Amino acid sequence: MLRNRVYRRLFTAQVVALTGTGLATVALSLLAYDLAGDGAPAVLGTALAIKMIAYVTVAPLVSVVAERVPRRRLMAAMDLCRAGVAAALPWVTEVWQVHVLILLLQAASAAFTPTFQATIPQVLPDEQDYTRALSMSRLAHDLESLISPVLAAALLTAVSYDRLFAGTVAGFLASAALVTATVLPRPAPAERTGGFRHRAAVGARLFCATPRLRALLALDLAVAAAGAFVLVDTVAAVRDHLGRTDGAVSVALGAYGAGSVLAALALSRLLRLCTDRAVMLSAACALPAVLAVAAVLTATAPGAWSWPALLAAWAAVGACCSAVLTPGGRLIRRSTADTDLPAAFAARFSLSHGCWLLTYPLAGWLAPWAGLPATAAVLGAVALAAAAAAAALWPAGDPDRPEHVHPDLPSGHPHLADARPSGAGRLHGHPHAADQHHPRRPGREARRG
């Protein structure tokens, strides 16, 4: 798919923007320390909460704007907005200014990312190419988390941290230039019905109407439960329980990222052999087991086996999370009409970050009060319940082209052009997409008809 010029430019724009974001993360941590000293963790914690709130609230609203504004123009404008915020960060002198700028930065990201995600299926209509693109996107995110801190450390040997924001600005400007220079496919015209509030809720209604998308939300909760334990409690597990150095914290998080990278590389071939349901549910069901291992690991006295076991567990969490998250775009693409792709991806972006907004505080507040073993056990129980809910919500025999009838449509309706007579009416089948003719996925009784 890298031979596709449009996708190549969009993927390059994503990579350079991610690199800029990674540099900003390091610089922001150092800026918070300069402004707040010992209160820097509180500043960063508030910034993280603002980020999640912006993701949850802004994305569905922007999906309505995406219906009226050309996607290329919208994405370029959001890149320019993020570049402007990054350029202003070195000049702030108060903590509240940091919070305001972070809100603007993350609101722009909440507008850019779902729009970008909704564009890729139309750039790469072949499902195998799209699957590889999803793996590439996952790979880019994981490698950014590994490479950006190393790049930032190298730059900090030569320049002060406020110069890192210049790298962020350059990344967003380069992304805007690449997006602007790319001719995107023209999306199908949307049928706009209802007011702004009604259109903003379209994505959420699509998830409610489609069993596999409801299951996807449950799977996102399982990932958030396991991921929150790793991202929030690794420092305590490595430093306090195992008594290792700061460098070991980076190695442990690197193992998590490495597991995710390896899974992303393997998924394209694996999804040709197994169904999305089998891969995603198997990975989600493995997460509670790995958290149970983490609970045992942090409850027993450290030994020679503890450090390798922790690295293996963290790599397993990364691999399972990647195996759940990466194919999610395929489910949305199969379950949504082209006109509703921005709303569906915005809903997934918003709802999945809502899951993290629940699990991040749980992982952070429970560990000091109840200890790491109890925290791992509670988050493991959340992951187990979410995986069980996903299995129940996603029928095992869920076909890609469910056969059904439309008793409310006349026989000559254009939607029934390929239908054939049956005892219950005119029967036809096609990939399900929740729309005006299919407010809910056809039930089993319709398929039998």
Side-chain angles (χ1 to χ4, degrees), residues 15 35 45 66 107 122 153 175 201-202 233 246 253 301 312 325 406 418 432 437:
V15 169
L35 292 176
Q122 296 176 335
S175 176
V202 164
D233 295 322
D246 289 341
L253 292 174
L325 293 173
H406 288 278
D418 61 342
H432 169 71
H437 301 309

Side-chain angles (χ1 to χ4, degrees), residues 187-204:
E191 296 181 11
R192 303 188 184 107
T193 59
F196 184 89
R197 185 179 301 177
H198 175 84
R199 294 300 302 162
V202 164

Side-chain angles (χ1 to χ4, degrees), residues 39-120:
V43 175
L44 293 175
T46 303
L48 182 62
I50 290 172
K51 171 183 175 179
M52 291 300 167
I53 292 171
Y55 281 1
V56 170
T57 58
V58 172
L61 303 179
V62 174
S63 67
V64 184
V65 178
E67 296 176 355
R68 295 166 169 80
V69 178
R71 294 181 187 177
R72 180 173 61 172
R73 189 180 301 171
L74 177 61
M75 289 191 289
M78 293 304 100
D79 272 335
L80 293 176
C81 178
R82 294 191 290 184
V85 171
L89 278 169
W91 307 103
V92 304
T93 57
E94 301 291 340
V95 169
W96 69 266
Q97 296 170 346
V98 174
H99 293 158
V100 170
L101 290 175
I102 290 298
L103 176 61
L104 295 175
L105 179 67
Q106 301 306 337
S109 295
F112 179 93
T113 303
T115 306
F116 175 89
Q117 292 172 335
T119 302
I120 300 303

Side-chain angles (χ1 to χ4, degrees), residues 380-394:
V382 172
L384 179 61
L393 290 168
W394 193 346

Side-chain angles (χ1 to χ4, degrees), residues 16-427:
V16 296
L18 283 173
T19 304
T21 302
L23 294 177
T25 301
V26 176
L28 184 62
S29 300
L30 297 172
L31 174 63
Y33 184 79
D34 270 0
L35 292 176
D38 292 341
V43 175
L44 293 175
T46 303
L48 182 62
I50 290 172
K51 171 183 175 179
M52 291 300 167
I53 292 171
Y55 281 1
V56 170
T57 58
V58 172
L61 303 179
V62 174
S63 67
V64 184
V65 178
E67 296 176 355
R68 295 166 169 80
V69 178
R71 294 181 187 177
R72 180 173 61 172
R73 189 180 301 171
L74 177 61
M75 289 191 289
M78 293 304 100
D79 272 335
L80 293 176
C81 178
R82 294 191 290 184
V85 171
L89 278 169
W91 307 103
V92 304
T93 57
E94 301 291 340
V95 169
W96 69 266
Q97 296 170 346
V98 174
H99 293 158
V100 170
L101 290 175
I102 290 298
L103 176 61
L104 295 175
L105 179 67
Q106 301 306 337
S109 295
F112 179 93
T113 303
T115 306
F116 175 89
Q117 292 172 335
T119 302
I120 300 303
Q122 296 176 335
V123 173
L124 298 172
D126 180 77
E127 184 168 76
Q128 288 302 321
D129 286 343
Y130 180 54
T131 302
R132 295 188 188 99
L134 291 173
S135 295
M136 291 281 286
S137 181
R138 183 80 250 160
L139 194 63
H141 279 278
D142 293 333
L143 289 178
E144 180 275 320
S145 66
L146 297 174
I147 293 172
S148 290
V150 176
L151 178 60
L155 291 173
L156 287 171
T157 63
V159 299
S160 59
Y161 77 83
D162 58 338
R163 298 292 181 89
L164 295 182
F165 290 117
T168 301
V169 173
F172 289 137
L173 290 178
S175 176
L178 285 165
V179 170
T180 302
T182 304
V183 178
L184 301 180
R186 186 182 298 275
E191 296 181 11
R192 303 188 184 107
T193 59
F196 184 89
R197 185 179 301 177
H198 175 84
R199 294 300 302 162
V202 164
R205 288 198 298 272
L206 289 172
F207 270 71
C208 292
T210 310
R212 63 171 63 155
L213 295 185
R214 293 200 298 270
L216 180 60
L217 178 58
L219 291 170
D220 284 337
L221 178 58
V223 167
F229 182 78
V230 169
L231 297 176
V232 174
D233 295 322
T234 293
V235 173
V238 173
R239 292 297 310 276
D240 298 339
H241 183 69
L242 298 183
R244 290 184 170 262
T245 63
D246 289 341
V249 175
S250 299
V251 173
L253 292 174
Y256 170 76
S260 183
V261 166
L262 292 175
L265 291 173
L267 272 172
S268 179
R269 177 170 297 181
L270 182 61
L271 288 170
R272 289 201 297 267
L273 303 174
C274 306
T275 65
D276 295 56
R277 184 180 187 275
V279 171
M280 298 173 74
L281 287 180
S282 297
C285 291
L287 288 173
V290 180
L291 287 177
V293 171
V296 173
L297 179 66
T298 54
T300 55
W305 58 275
S306 301
W307 178 237
L310 184 140
L311 293 180
W314 266 224
V317 171
C320 292
C321 289
S322 181
V324 172
L325 293 173
T326 304
R330 287 162 50 110
L331 298 189
I332 294 175
R333 182 187 187 183
R334 291 173 182 171
S335 307
T336 308
D338 287 348
T339 54
D340 288 325
L341 280 175
F345 277 102
R348 201 273 174 103
F349 188 83
S350 174
L351 294 171
S352 63
H353 282 92
C355 295
W356 288 93
L357 191 58
L358 293 174
T359 57
Y360 267 143
L362 187 60
W365 297 338
L366 194 59
W369 176 66
L372 290 175
T375 303
V378 170
L379 290 170
V382 172
L384 179 61
L393 290 168
W394 193 346
D398 188 28
D400 285 334
R401 298 178 61 89
E403 292 195 328
H404 55 282
V405 297
H406 288 278
D408 55 326
L409 295 180
S411 59
H413 194 279
H415 184 68
L416 301 178
D418 61 342
R420 62 185 187 275
S422 72
R426 296 188 61 79
L427 181 70

